[in-house]
Amino acid sequence: MIAPQNPSNEKERLAEVKSYGLLDTLPEEEYDDITSLIAEVCNTPISLITLLDRDRNFLKSHHGVPFNQSPRNISFCGHAILEPAPIFIIEDARIDPRFADNPLVTEHNAVFYAGVPLIAKNGMALGTLCIFDTKPRKLSEKQQNIVIAMAKQVIKLFELHRNNLTLEQTKTSLQRRN
């Protein structure tokens, strides 16, 4: 297994992730609808919206898995955010030296992975919209385009969330002044 490297701008990237106020938040229907839809469109058992924190992947939405975080050092998403391509695809992780002996592959049978980096307006990679399958596979061009398009919608939801936080903070500040 080859653990993902940190981006060269990791300190700034982490500050950007935290600025959205989404880490350790409860599930929300808007995000869950997206992961459910992507799993259906791509015919995969698992779909996630991840935020890469310092040592973990926080799963803002998780379709098909019972947990809401995983270690970053075994993360497929940690590799995906480093790639310049719009979608990072591993058709069979069992034969890829980066993942072959990864616990997600050996213990949880994560064989196929496709992840689209969630890129903020300032270019920082926050996490991914990704899918997993327990068997090798390919995504059609249409499926890839749908996942990429839905990742853009996730970013829009993130931005709305952050804007709402800013408005609430401004409102509280104004109420204190009055």
Side-chain angles (χ1 to χ4, degrees):
M1 181 185 93
I2 299 171
Q5 303 248 331
N6 285 338
S8 60
N9 62 351
E10 181 66 359
K11 184 177 178 183
E12 295 84 5
R13 192 197 69 75
L14 285 171
E16 185 71 8
V17 168
K18 289 179 182 171
S19 77
Y20 284 84
L22 288 164
L23 292 172
D24 299 313
T25 57
L26 294 172
E28 295 178 59
E29 183 178 8
E30 294 84 357
Y31 300 105
D32 293 344
D33 287 346
I34 290 171
T35 53
S36 177
L37 176 67
I38 290 301
E40 183 68 28
V41 165
C42 295
N43 194 29
T44 58
I46 298 168
S47 177
L48 311 170
I49 295 172
T50 70
L51 289 161
L52 274 80
D53 200 0
R54 189 170 61 86
D55 296 320
R56 66 182 172 139
N57 284 352
F58 171 69
L59 310 182
K60 178 58 185 157
S61 178
H62 48 98
H63 176 88
V65 296
F67 47 86
N68 69 352
Q69 65 181 9
S70 63
R72 185 171 171 186
N73 65 337
I74 62 169
S75 168
F76 283 62
C77 300
H79 288 277
I81 68 165
L82 299 173
E83 295 296 322
I87 187 166
F88 178 71
I89 298 175
I90 304 297
E91 293 177 356
D92 189 342
R94 298 170 301 182
I95 59 174
D96 187 309
R98 294 171 292 185
F99 305 105
D101 59 348
N102 184 309
L104 294 173
V105 176
T106 60
E107 297 171 23
H108 299 286
N109 205 26
V111 173
F112 170 84
Y113 171 87
V116 176
L118 300 171
I119 307 295
K121 288 180 182 178
N122 64 4
M124 300 283 180
L126 308 172
T128 65
L129 171 60
C130 65
I131 54 176
F132 284 94
D133 203 340
T134 57
K135 61 184 185 244
R137 59 175 307 141
K138 295 181 185 289
L139 287 182
S140 71
E141 185 176 333
K142 183 176 183 178
Q143 288 171 319
Q144 290 180 41
N145 290 336
I146 290 170
V147 178
I148 292 167
M150 292 310 295
K152 292 175 185 174
Q153 295 306 308
V154 171
I155 284 293
K156 288 178 182 176
L157 286 172
F158 284 3
E159 291 293 335
L160 285 171
H161 182 85
R162 183 164 67 178
N163 290 344
N164 284 338
L165 284 178
T166 301
L167 287 172
E168 285 297 321
Q169 291 167 349
T170 302
K171 178 182 168 186
T172 301
S173 177
L174 289 172
Q175 287 173 334
R176 285 185 192 147
R177 287 184 191 170
N178 289 335

